[in-house]
């Protein structure tokens, strides 16, 4: 691109409205040049500015004594884990790039979130992911999916998993868990949410601030190319048939380069007084890193773009400022230590150059070939983005959506087996076997063993737990419940291994906010997240909003992804989900209020979304979580597993499979509930545990004290799982569960 005069067509191509362009002219007192227009377009994009969602984000709880770096302050949040140590963690989306180039889109999503962690001064210790795709199997799709779309969904899925595995495995950071779901609303618009956490001492926290007039600005890492050009703006508009022409907006990653960058950056930031600020060049590249660092410090900056390391010929200022080439960081060194920083970077084989200086002007001024390429007020670019209060409207068919269906025929063992083989419930071994989940030898619970991943922090011997959840089916009829249940299930999964929540990070994946019905769902889902986080004492530490997840005017289901991080008390060992001995009592703890509304069973039967989920009871969620955490700490329970997809029948089978130990159980008596609801209906605030018989009375007493219902269902043992007259051999359940996912991925008949 050349520095041609800006036209209305150019403004529209950059995703700016005519009104926003007039706002820019008013701020500058003149028309911007093309480079300046590009900078406004990325910094004012939804991806960078949250111009449609920031008012709702302010309602999230963000305060707690153990939070050391709060949400939105820096690149990641940080919480105290004791003994002077802390954890930095965050989740980010890389949805649009993955829709175009699944392997590189997912790989660079992992690389980007890793940089968000070590830019805080933390050493990354584990990764996690949450994924959504269109159907990969006709049996799960309901209405028939055209073969070409089905095949494309499989290609997207396989490419994303391969990209995540490639980057994490090569850089040597374990991917310890995740989740994946499939729905037609994600056809053409997959969701790729990547999370990373890292460990650091309190005194090692670094900030992304450009402080100190005269301090040099240092570029470190890979040379700049044209890959990822204007990716932030690309991620802030709907996908269309023409989006594949935006391949330059998809970055290309190099995990081996990132490993060198990680070690070099940690080496220089941990030298006392060498570095006063650091930020990764992620979305919007050199633009966002420089403008945001200067903005946080209330400073200005002068840059010489001729000094920027370049791997492509004839790069323009526009391309250098907006490129999203990967594996790059921007540092502000203490004046006099720039040579020290450059020498360390050279030792690690990295490009590094002094590209600018901190000023007190409040302006970003960059020169190229002796001429001023841009001159912009930093505060206006970062803080004066327009904020929108979009119109909101309930869907006209909301009442119809919330009608809970009824089925005349009695549930069968085939219904049970079909659910166990469903790709959303079946074993995800095909995925996690591609990930190195044990590198660095910190992984305490392997994938699939428990309701949450558990990792040991060697620095202070703490056990951390991590869970990510969202049941987007609930968002079709009740986006508030979708948001609240996402928080509740994540916290409930932590409780099942014995961990109390320290905080959560959210990735709010939604459709086009300019559609009133979508904006209503966005606000309701975020309201649910906020109220649940407050009720469960789980503050929002960091997060991301990803809007415009729409393909050809069809928005995805509201998908407010929630990942919760918790800690187990010292000396407490995590509890697994599988029955581990015969003769144990099976108890159901919590409020059991199953509904077929929005359930996996209903979608499988009808091939469409129908009904609202059970009402959210946050008091019941809090009580059952406290009870189970206490029981784990006392060593009173042998296994624990929450009820979620597929209801009680599926949860019971999932407990039987790890050690192939069956169970003979009865259904709880719930007035007004039919057999299919009790078997396959989904309920919040419910946890299935196994305990030794001599502890049942004690546990019942503890449950009464906390006003938590406690129902005895039966006993473990035998070669069948029997429930309410249905009995299925454990081996048959295991075959359906072990192979259902692989058959769907490979397109094989069940």
């Amino acid at each position: 691109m050349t520095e041609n005069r800006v036209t209305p067509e150019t403004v529209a191509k950059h995703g700016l409205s005519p009104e926003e362009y007039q706002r820019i002219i008013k701020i500058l007192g003149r028309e911007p040049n093309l480079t300046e227009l590009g900078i406004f377009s990325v910094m004012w994009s939804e991806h960078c500015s949250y111009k449609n969602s920031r008012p709702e984000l302010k309602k999230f709880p963000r305060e707690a004594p153990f939070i050391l770096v709060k949400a939105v302050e820096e690149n990641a949040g940080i919480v105290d884990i004791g003994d002077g140590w802390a954890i930095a963690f965050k989740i980010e989306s890389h949805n649009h790039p993955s829709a175009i180039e699944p392997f590189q889109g997912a790989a660079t999503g992992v690389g980007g979130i890793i940089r968000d962690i070590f830019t805080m001064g933390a050493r990354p210790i584990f990764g996690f992911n949450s994924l959504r795709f269109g159907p990969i199997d006709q049996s799960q799709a309901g209405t028939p999916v055209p073969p070409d779309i089905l095949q494309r969904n499989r290609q997207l899925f396989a490419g994303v998993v391969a990209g995540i595995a490639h980057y994490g495995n090569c850089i040597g950071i374990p991917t310890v868990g995740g989740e994946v779901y499939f729905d037609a609303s994600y056809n053409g618009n997959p969701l790729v949410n990547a999370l990373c956490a890292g460990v650091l001492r309190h005194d090692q926290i670094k900030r992304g601030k450009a402080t100190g007039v005269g301090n040099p600005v240092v570029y470190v890492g890979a040379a700049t190319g044209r890959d990822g050009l204007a990716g932030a703006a690309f991620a802030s508009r709907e996908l269309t048939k023409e989006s594949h022409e935006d391949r330059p907006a998809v970055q290309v990653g190099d995990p081996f380069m990132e490993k060198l960058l990680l070690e070099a950056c940690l080496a220089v930031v941990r030298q006392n007084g060498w570095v006063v600020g650091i930020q990764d060049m992620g979305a919007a590249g050199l633009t966002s890193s420089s403008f945001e660092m200067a903005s946080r410090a209330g400073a200005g900056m002068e840059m010489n773009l001729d000094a920027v390391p370049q791997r492509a010929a004839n790069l323009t200022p526009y391309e250098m400022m907006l490129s999203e080439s990967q594996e790059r960081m921007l540092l502000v060194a203490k004046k006099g230590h720039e040579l020290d920083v450059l020498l360390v970077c050279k030792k690690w084989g990295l490009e590094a150059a002094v590209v600018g200086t901190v000023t007190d002007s409040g302006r970003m001024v960059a020169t190229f070939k002796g001429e001023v390429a841009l001159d912009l007020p930093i505060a206006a670019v970062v803080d004066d983005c327009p904020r929108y209060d979009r119109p909101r409207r309930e869907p006209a068919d909301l009442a119809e959506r919330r009608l809970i269906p009824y089925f005349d025929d009695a549930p069968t063992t085939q219904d049970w087996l079909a659910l166990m083989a469903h790709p959303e419930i079946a074993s995800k071994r095909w995925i996690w076997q591609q990930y190195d989940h044990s590198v660095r030898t910190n992984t305490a619970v392997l994938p699939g063993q428990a309701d949450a991943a558990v990792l040991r922090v060697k620095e202070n011997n703490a056990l951390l737990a991590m869970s990510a959840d969202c049941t987007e089916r609930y968002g079709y009829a009740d986006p508030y419940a979708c948001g609240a249940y996402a928080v509740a299930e994540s916290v409930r999964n932590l409780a099942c291994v014995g961990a109390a929540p320290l905080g959560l990070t959210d990735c709010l994946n939604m459709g086009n906010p300019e559609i009133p019905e979508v904006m209503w769902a966005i606000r309701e889902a975020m309201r649910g997240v906020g109220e649940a986080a407050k009720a469960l004492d789980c503050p929002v530490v960091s997060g991301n909003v990803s809007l415009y997840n729409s393909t050809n005017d069809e928005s995805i289901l509201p998908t407010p992804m929630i990942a919760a991080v918790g800690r187990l008390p010292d000396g407490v060992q995590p509890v697994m989900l599988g029955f581990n001995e015969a003769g144990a009592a099976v108890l159901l703890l919590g409020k059991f209020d199953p509904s077929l509304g929005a359930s996996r069973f209903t979608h499988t039967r009808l091939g469409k979304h129908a009904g609202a989920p059970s009402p959210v009871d946050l008091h019941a969620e809090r009580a059952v979580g406290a009870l189970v955490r206490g029981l784990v700490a006392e060593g009173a329970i042998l296994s624990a597993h929450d009820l979620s997809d597929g209801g009680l029948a599926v949860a019971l089978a999932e407990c039987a499979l790890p050690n192939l130990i069956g169970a003979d159980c009865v259904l709880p008596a719930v007035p007004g509930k039919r057999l299919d609801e009790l078997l396959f209906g989904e309920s919040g605030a419910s946890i299935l545990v196994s305990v030794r018989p001599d502890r049942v009375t004690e546990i019942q007493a503890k449950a009464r004290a906390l006003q938590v219902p406690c129902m005895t269902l039966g006993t473990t043992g035998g070669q069948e799982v029997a429930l309410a007259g249905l009995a299925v051999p454990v081996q048959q359940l295991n075959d359906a569960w072990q192979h259902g996912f692989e058959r769907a991925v490979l397109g094989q008949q069940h």
Side-chain angles (χ1 to χ4, degrees):
M1 300 182 71
T2 59
E3 298 293 320
N4 294 327
R5 182 178 173 83
V6 172
T7 66
E9 291 76 20
T10 310
V11 172
K13 186 175 180 180
H14 281 75
L16 292 164
S17 68
E19 294 76 17
E20 288 173 335
Y21 184 62
Q22 290 303 313
R23 186 183 184 117
I24 292 169
I25 292 175
K26 184 176 180 180
I27 287 171
L28 298 182
R30 59 175 172 83
E31 290 191 347
N33 64 35
L34 188 60
T35 298
E36 293 169 334
L37 180 76
I39 288 170
F40 273 106
S41 77
V42 294
M43 293 301 291
W44 283 13
S45 68
E46 173 62 32
H47 191 79
C48 290
S49 71
Y50 298 160
K51 59 188 177 185
N52 295 290
S53 53
R54 191 175 293 274
E56 301 306 316
L57 293 173
K58 291 180 179 179
K59 300 175 183 178
F60 288 179
R62 295 188 287 193
E63 303 282 344
F66 50 82
I67 296 178
L68 304 179
V69 176
K70 299 176 185 177
V72 310
E73 285 185 350
E74 293 288 346
N75 293 276
I78 299 180
V79 297
D80 177 32
I81 59 169
D83 305 315
W85 290 94
I87 288 291
F89 62 95
K90 187 185 181 184
I91 193 169
E92 278 277 3
S93 63
H94 231 224
N95 304 337
H96 282 45
S98 300
I100 305 302
E101 284 283 0
F103 181 91
Q104 289 294 352
T108 53
V110 173
I113 195 63
I114 290 172
R115 289 194 302 279
D116 276 341
I117 298 307
F118 71 79
T119 193
M120 302 301 301
R123 176 170 292 280
I125 57 172
F126 69 82
F128 213 85
N129 57 76
S130 181
L131 312 174
R132 297 291 185 276
F133 301 91
I136 60 172
D137 181 69
Q138 286 288 9
S139 68
Q140 70 173 125
T143 55
V145 178
D148 60 326
I149 294 179
L150 202 66
Q151 185 59 25
R152 176 59 177 162
N153 289 339
R154 290 193 186 117
Q155 291 170 346
L156 287 170
F157 167 70
V160 164
V161 171
I164 292 170
H166 167 74
Y167 211 99
N169 294 354
C170 289
I171 199 171
I173 296 172
T175 304
V176 298
E179 55 143 32
V180 60
Y181 285 88
F182 306 90
D183 187 86
S185 75
Y186 306 110
N187 282 336
N189 198 133
L191 303 184
V192 179
N193 295 174
L195 179 144
C196 186
V199 62
L200 74 168
R201 293 197 311 268
H202 292 189
D203 60 3
Q204 293 173 331
I205 296 173
K206 301 305 293 186
R207 300 281 183 167
K209 290 185 177 181
T211 57
V213 173
N215 280 337
V217 179
V218 184
Y219 174 118
V220 179
T224 296
R226 292 186 172 91
D227 51 321
L229 196 60
F234 165 61
S236 301
R237 58 179 181 260
E238 291 187 333
L239 292 170
T240 66
K241 293 179 180 179
E242 289 72 38
S243 291
H244 282 266
E245 298 175 6
D246 284 326
R247 284 178 187 270
V250 179
Q251 308 91 333
V252 178
D254 181 349
F256 301 106
M257 173 68 76
E258 179 123 328
K259 173 62 173 174
L260 300 175
L261 183 64
L262 186 161
E263 298 300 341
C265 287
L266 290 184
V268 297
V269 301
R270 291 182 178 177
Q271 290 292 330
N272 187 30
W274 284 18
V275 174
V276 298
I278 179 172
Q279 180 153 322
D280 78 302
M281 295 190 217
L286 184 56
T287 289
S288 64
S289 55
S290 59
F291 274 83
E292 289 175 3
M293 289 180 77
S295 173
R296 291 190 190 109
M301 193 177 291
E302 292 179 355
M303 285 199 293
N304 174 18
L305 298 182
D306 297 283
V308 171
Q310 302 169 44
R311 68 168 183 265
N314 303 316
L315 287 178
T316 66
Y318 179 99
E319 291 168 329
M320 281 185 275
M321 292 301 296
L322 271 65
S323 168
E324 292 185 10
S325 294
Q326 296 291 283
E327 292 84 42
R328 303 181 302 160
M329 303 287 280
L330 198 66
L331 286 68
V332 174
K334 181 74 172 177
K335 190 173 183 178
H337 284 292
E338 57 266 42
L339 182 58
D340 296 322
V341 172
L342 295 177
L343 288 174
V344 170
C345 294
K346 183 178 180 180
K347 169 190 171 183
W348 287 98
L350 295 172
E351 297 239 28
V354 175
V355 297
T357 306
V358 177
T359 70
D360 60 1
S361 68
R363 302 187 70 85
M364 182 68 64
V365 181
T367 60
F368 180 65
K369 295 184 178 179
E371 296 184 357
V372 174
L374 65 101
D375 184 351
L376 295 173
I378 290 169
V381 173
V382 177
D383 301 322
D384 288 353
C385 171
R387 304 288 180 215
Y388 294 113
D389 184 10
R390 301 285 188 186
R392 297 175 295 277
R393 182 170 59 239
E394 288 186 358
D397 63 344
L398 185 61
E400 181 181 345
R401 292 185 186 192
R402 290 179 170 174
L403 292 175
I404 297 175
Y406 289 86
F407 302 102
D408 294 330
D409 54 327
T412 67
T413 57
Q414 288 306 309
D415 290 322
W416 199 348
L417 289 167
L419 284 173
M420 298 304 297
H422 193 282
E424 293 188 355
I425 292 174
S427 168
K428 306 306 185 296
R429 178 182 58 182
W430 188 91
I431 299 176
W432 57 255
Q433 281 186 334
Q434 298 183 53
Y435 301 155
D436 188 339
H437 46 266
S438 297
V439 64
R440 301 182 64 84
T441 67
N442 294 322
T443 308
V445 173
L446 299 179
Q449 288 186 325
D451 279 16
V454 181
L455 198 93
R456 185 175 301 280
V457 179
K458 290 177 180 175
E459 286 78 359
N460 70 342
N461 211 34
L463 283 177
L464 297 180
M466 161 67 64
S467 175
D469 292 283
C470 178
T471 307
E472 68 280 345
R473 295 190 309 273
Y474 297 172
Y476 178 71
D478 192 345
Y480 168 84
C482 183
Y485 271 128
V487 175
E489 186 174 356
S490 293
V491 174
R492 201 185 317 135
N493 285 333
L494 297 184
C496 286
V497 298
L502 288 171
L504 62 83
T505 181
D506 60 85
C507 201
L508 306 171
N509 307 274
M510 308 288 180
N512 185 344
E514 297 168 39
I515 300 172
E517 290 79 4
V518 173
M519 191 63 216
W520 170 80
I522 292 170
R523 187 172 191 180
E524 283 295 288
M526 294 173 74
R527 183 170 69 89
V529 169
E531 291 186 6
K534 289 177 184 176
L536 300 177
D537 292 331
C538 196
V540 177
V541 175
S542 58
N544 171 240
V545 177
S546 175
L547 304 186
Y548 294 95
N549 288 290
S550 307
T551 305
N552 298 325
D553 297 325
E554 292 293 327
S555 291
I556 65 166
L557 289 173
T559 313
M561 182 57 54
I562 299 297
V565 175
R567 181 179 175 180
L568 280 75
D570 291 340
V572 174
Q573 293 303 306
V575 167
M576 307 304 171
L577 68 86
F579 297 146
N580 50 33
E581 61 181 60
V586 179
L587 307 180
L588 181 61
L589 304 177
K591 181 180 178 180
F592 184 57
D593 181 27
S595 171
L596 291 181
S599 68
R600 168 47 52 209
F601 177 78
T602 293
H603 191 274
T604 302
R605 277 288 196 95
L606 298 180
K608 65 179 183 179
H609 299 290
S614 295
V616 180
D617 188 333
L618 296 173
H619 176 77
E621 293 280 4
R622 184 184 177 98
V624 74
L627 173 63
V628 172
R629 284 194 299 271
L631 295 176
V632 173
E634 296 167 5
I637 56 178
L638 302 171
S639 68
H641 182 35
D642 82 315
L643 270 58
S644 56
D645 296 338
L648 177 59
V650 167
L652 188 64
E654 288 172 335
C655 292
L657 298 184
N659 300 306
L660 301 180
I661 296 174
D664 186 4
C665 295
V666 298
L667 282 170
V670 183
K673 297 292 182 180
R674 304 189 317 275
L675 179 61
D676 53 3
E677 292 176 294
L678 295 172
L679 285 168
F680 305 123
E682 296 173 11
S683 173
S686 300
I687 297 176
L688 196 65
V689 302
S690 65
V691 306
R692 292 194 173 94
D694 60 356
R695 304 205 71 158
V696 171
T697 301
E698 169 196 348
I699 291 170
Q700 289 172 335
K702 291 180 181 296
R704 281 195 300 272
L706 291 174
Q707 297 182 319
V708 175
C710 175
M711 294 161 276
T712 302
L713 302 187
T715 307
T716 63
Q719 300 302 308
E720 290 185 330
V721 178
L723 184 63
L726 300 182
V728 184
V730 175
Q731 285 290 356
Q732 197 173 354
L733 289 165
N734 191 53
D735 178 72
W737 183 78
Q738 288 283 3
H739 303 295
F741 191 83
E742 294 171 8
R743 289 167 180 157
V745 173
L746 299 175
Q748 298 175 348
Q749 295 295 317
H750 291 253

